[in-house]
Amino acid sequence: MSLYLTEIERVKTISKADFYSNYVKKQKPVVIEQLTSDWPAYSKWHLNYIKAIAGDKIVPLYDDRPVSHKDGFNKSHAKMKMADYVDLLLSKPTNYRIFLYNLIKEVPALKEDFKWPDIGLRLVKQLPMLFFGGENAKVFMHYDIDYSNILHFHFHGKKRCVLFAPDQTPYLYKVPHALIAREDIDFDHPDFEKWPALKLAKGLVCDLNHGEMLYMPEGYWHYMTYVTPGFSMSLRAFPRKINNLGKAVFNVFVMRHYDNFMRKQKGQAWIDYKNEEAIKRTHQNLGIS
């Protein structure tokens, strides 16, 4: 059995007014297929171009190991030269991913390859973060700490994106004091006997192709799979809803520091406690014994 997923709506192009009224205001995801068609990045941003322009940069890598009390918040698991990493991506499947990396700061010439879209969101004009992954690499189910509205652009190949709205949180086995679901859930082939709440979850799915953009509203859960090697870029806008802005401030200035403190104090026992609570709280709230 698989999750209950429906396809995310797709448009080729869209006006600023229609995007705002039909998607941002309604907090509804959409794929815009041709938003980058006039960007230099559309023709240039392939893995070998990144290798040529940034091959000497040392990049942080992450794999799919479970969260450990020994890990700091978003601490990398390994490092490698970008040229060697691109060669790895193109040669075979790998679990190593680049996550939230400010490559454009390291290679300013990349700033000339994309445009800040005038699409109805007040985008944060800091340099955007990039994400890289190899064939079948997966990004665990999570939502973003700052509750941003996200424009997620994909390049070189195909990426599968599974989303859940914030109102689906009760069914996703959210880990307390964290932004993630239980990491041992296989969201591609869920075990509904072990995780019965997932049978109630209703999500959305799309396959992003080269140059396409996925709009993810604030607080949306997302789980990503690199169908082929590739990379993505996210542009962000602060949450529009006051309560989400409050949650973002709490997450950044309270929650993550408390979680790091408890990891240092309790060690692996803190991680184990949170994972157990994810099951306990989910089942109690839904009356599942």
Side-chain angles (χ1 to χ4, degrees):
M1 296 181 69
S2 58
L3 295 168
Y4 181 88
L5 302 174
T6 56
E7 286 285 334
I8 295 172
E9 188 175 342
R10 304 177 73 92
V11 298
K12 292 190 180 299
T13 60
I14 194 169
S15 70
K16 176 179 177 179
D18 284 346
F19 177 70
Y20 182 81
S21 62
N22 293 330
Y23 301 102
V24 176
K25 193 172 181 179
K26 295 178 181 179
Q27 290 289 278
K28 180 182 176 183
V30 65
V31 173
I32 304 178
E33 297 177 345
Q34 297 178 3
L35 188 58
T36 69
S37 60
D38 63 342
W39 293 10
Y42 188 80
S43 59
K44 294 166 67 175
W45 279 23
H46 295 273
L47 286 169
N48 280 324
Y49 173 71
I50 298 297
K51 178 182 176 180
I53 199 170
D56 62 333
K57 303 301 179 184
I58 304 297
V59 296
L61 303 176
Y62 301 82
D63 58 27
D64 55 1
R65 72 187 69 178
V67 169
S68 166
H69 71 282
K70 298 177 183 178
D71 297 332
F73 192 84
N74 286 345
K75 183 180 178 182
S76 64
H77 300 136
K79 293 183 179 181
M80 187 181 295
K81 274 191 173 184
M82 177 63 88
D84 295 332
Y85 178 61
V86 170
D87 286 343
L88 176 63
L89 292 182
L90 293 174
S91 65
K92 62 182 180 181
T94 176
N95 289 330
Y96 276 132
R97 296 178 291 106
I98 295 178
F99 171 70
L100 278 176
Y101 182 54
N102 199 338
L103 181 64
I104 295 174
K105 181 180 180 181
E106 300 285 330
V107 186
L110 291 169
K111 288 191 292 186
E112 307 303 318
D113 292 342
F114 73 92
K115 303 176 182 179
W116 294 95
D118 182 16
I119 199 170
L121 284 172
R122 297 180 64 181
L123 297 168
V124 179
K125 291 296 182 74
Q126 65 184 29
L127 294 178
M129 299 297 183
L130 298 185
F131 309 77
F132 291 72
E135 180 183 343
N136 207 39
K138 301 179 191 303
V139 181
F140 52 85
M141 182 71 76
H142 70 288
Y143 61 96
D144 284 16
I145 193 170
D146 60 0
Y147 275 78
S148 286
N149 291 274
I150 301 169
L151 305 182
H152 191 71
F153 301 84
H154 189 65
F155 299 95
H156 192 117
K158 182 177 291 187
K159 187 179 194 180
R160 186 172 176 82
C161 308
V162 174
L163 307 185
F164 287 94
D167 64 9
Q168 298 299 296
T169 300
Y171 315 123
L172 299 179
Y173 294 91
K174 180 188 179 300
V175 175
H177 312 291
L179 311 167
I180 62 174
R182 283 274 307 220
E183 292 177 278
D184 50 347
I185 296 175
D186 180 353
F187 280 95
D188 292 321
H189 306 96
D191 181 346
F192 290 133
E193 293 295 322
K194 187 174 183 180
W195 314 109
L198 291 179
K199 290 187 289 187
L200 303 173
K202 295 181 179 180
L204 299 161
V205 64
C206 71
D207 285 338
L208 279 186
N209 300 300
H210 175 80
E212 294 182 341
M213 186 278 285
L214 167 64
Y215 166 59
M216 292 188 286
E218 50 204 65
Y220 261 64
W221 291 85
H222 41 287
Y223 167 75
M224 311 284 199
T225 302
Y226 289 86
V227 180
T228 69
F231 61 103
S232 305
M233 177 181 77
S234 285
L235 305 181
R236 317 174 76 82
F238 288 126
R240 298 170 60 254
K241 297 180 179 178
I242 294 299
N243 63 328
N244 284 344
L245 185 59
K247 291 175 185 177
V249 170
F250 176 81
N251 288 342
V252 171
F253 294 105
V254 179
M255 184 274 292
R256 70 172 174 179
H257 296 293
Y258 175 73
D259 187 53
N260 279 333
F261 172 77
M262 292 302 291
R263 290 189 196 195
K264 293 176 182 176
Q265 294 295 310
K266 299 285 189 178
Q268 189 60 37
W270 174 244
I271 304 296
D272 294 341
Y273 162 77
K274 293 199 301 175
N275 281 328
E276 291 166 5
E277 283 293 300
I279 299 176
K280 180 180 176 182
R281 295 182 187 187
T282 298
H283 289 175
Q284 281 184 344
N285 289 339
L286 297 175
I288 297 173
S289 57

